[in-house]
Amino acid sequence: MSTQARAQSIPAAGTLPWRMRDGVLEVALVHRPRYDDWSWPKGKLDAGEDWGTAAARETLEETGLEVRLGRPLPEARYLLLTKAGEQGEKIVRYWASTVTGGSGLLENEIDAVEWLDVVEANVRLDYAHDREQLRALVRAHTEGSLDTWPLVIVRHAKAVPRSDWKGDDRERPLEARGRERADALIPVLTAYGISRILTSPSVRCLDTISPYAVWSGIVPRAKKGLSEEGHEADPAKTEQHLERVLERGEPAAVCSHGPVMGTLLGALGTRLDLVGDGSVEMLEAFVEAQDDNLVKGEAFVCHVAGVGSDARIVAVERHLNP
């Protein structure tokens, strides 16, 4: 067995905050006085925490800045010694991110945050493995696929079985595990800055998306065309709802049912950008999700560049129940 195979895995997540200033692409680096180094804001996952949730949380805790996650960037892997003196492999997943709020006050382990153009950032970074994410971000910018907005397709969480429900199927609620998953979706959707919600009017979908809606203060828009019954009567209506979301270009979540996923994902499949960086991996992940028809409680994130007829999906992510 190799040394790396014996190493303990240490999962962590972080972001590359970016902005355009006077036509120049800039990124934010953080300085850690403990190590006297410049790197990206990042930190370890809490037990059971989603990777994306950890990335947004750690960025806020280190920089005081609230961010919305954009497209994922290459992960970093490197060996280190744990506090117990054992060898560990740190696995850090990264996202491009845009600042949406926050105080900007430094709060945890960081004594400086600086916005630098990408040339100066490349020089300032202390670790070679941090430059791979910077190169990917610059490539995305050059390809016109860095400035994106998230469209999240949510399949409702685990509901009371049909065989155990005697009433109207549209009134069938979530079971206990489903309610737990609905609560767990709050930080996931928060990390992507979801500000618009469309949902099937069926209770099991409303129950899935309502915890986030209540937490964020967003009123869900119930659409019959996203229900099983509405989709069966007129699948074209389902696609129309999706097209309107793409026309608005606002961070959105669409919650629906298993039998509706084929139509939703089929329509989104025509929007895949298969010429950009990482397109092969994106296609593989998309096909896998399509084959699974998403799983109950899954949040399938599509990173969309452009709106309306120009909207194209440049990256996808699957957020499953841990």
Side-chain angles (χ1 to χ4, degrees):
M1 182 180 295
S2 68
T3 301
Q4 184 167 332
R6 292 195 301 269
Q8 173 189 351
S9 293
I10 305 171
T15 74
L16 274 65
W18 69 273
R19 70 184 184 187
M20 297 298 297
R21 180 61 60 91
D22 297 327
V24 176
L25 176 63
E26 295 182 338
V27 291
L29 274 64
V30 298
H31 182 261
R32 300 183 299 177
R34 178 181 178 185
Y35 303 102
D36 189 23
D37 62 8
W38 289 92
S39 60
W40 308 118
K42 63 182 180 297
K44 297 176 185 176
L45 272 64
D46 290 337
E49 188 176 26
D50 180 89
W51 291 82
T53 298
R57 175 184 57 76
E58 284 288 342
T59 302
L60 174 62
E61 290 180 358
E62 291 194 346
T63 68
L65 299 174
E66 297 173 358
V67 297
R68 185 186 81 198
L69 299 185
R71 62 179 299 163
L73 299 170
E75 69 178 26
R77 290 174 177 257
Y78 48 92
L79 296 176
L80 46 68
L81 287 178
T82 67
K83 291 181 179 179
E86 301 174 346
Q87 192 173 66
E89 182 188 29
K90 196 164 188 177
I91 304 171
V92 191
R93 293 185 183 177
Y94 287 101
W95 282 259
S97 69
T98 53
V99 176
T100 58
S103 66
L105 299 176
L106 303 183
E107 300 181 12
N108 184 37
E109 300 179 352
I110 302 300
D111 66 352
V113 176
E114 286 198 28
W115 287 93
L116 304 171
D117 65 59
V118 294
V119 175
E120 178 60 27
N122 187 66
V123 174
R124 186 77 65 88
L125 287 167
D126 280 290
Y127 306 108
H129 57 70
D130 282 341
R131 294 189 176 92
E132 184 177 359
Q133 294 78 40
L134 181 61
R135 288 192 293 269
L137 185 140
V138 172
R139 284 196 300 271
H141 175 64
T142 302
E143 295 170 354
S145 60
L146 177 58
D147 189 3
T148 63
W149 58 275
L151 168 56
V152 185
I153 306 298
V154 179
R155 182 174 173 182
H156 73 73
K158 181 70 174 176
V160 172
R162 294 181 195 269
S163 59
D164 295 341
W165 183 253
K166 305 306 180 184
D168 187 335
D169 188 66
R170 293 171 295 184
E171 302 296 321
R172 186 159 52 93
L174 298 182
E175 63 174 26
R177 286 178 297 171
R179 293 193 298 272
E180 290 177 1
R181 178 56 180 165
D183 288 339
L185 284 173
I186 294 175
V188 175
L189 297 177
T190 299
Y192 292 94
I194 298 305
S195 56
R196 185 175 178 82
I197 300 171
L198 273 66
T199 181
S200 159
S202 296
V203 168
R204 54 193 180 278
C205 284
L206 289 169
D207 282 355
T208 298
I209 208 68
S210 287
Y212 175 74
V214 171
W215 183 89
S216 62
I218 300 170
V219 178
R221 298 172 182 270
K223 303 292 184 180
K224 292 182 180 179
L226 295 175
S227 68
E228 284 193 38
E229 299 79 11
H231 174 261
E232 184 177 5
D234 186 5
K237 192 68 175 178
T238 304
E239 290 194 46
Q240 289 174 13
H241 290 311
L242 187 62
E243 287 301 317
R244 292 193 185 102
V245 172
L246 291 168
E247 288 170 2
R248 291 181 65 94
E250 180 181 351
V254 177
C255 186
S256 191
H257 309 259
V260 187
M261 290 298 142
T263 295
L264 292 173
L265 295 179
L268 291 173
T270 66
R271 303 283 189 148
L272 296 179
D273 183 353
L274 299 178
V275 297
D277 188 48
S279 59
V280 173
E281 293 82 359
M282 175 182 65
L283 179 60
E284 291 175 345
F286 189 91
V287 171
E288 180 183 53
Q290 203 168 27
D291 288 345
D292 290 343
N293 209 34
L294 300 194
V295 300
K296 292 179 179 178
E298 177 174 353
F300 184 63
V301 181
C302 298
H303 295 278
V304 187
V307 298
S309 60
D310 294 328
R312 65 193 194 281
I313 298 170
V314 298
V316 299
E317 302 174 58
R318 302 188 69 180
H319 293 264
L320 309 173
N321 198 354

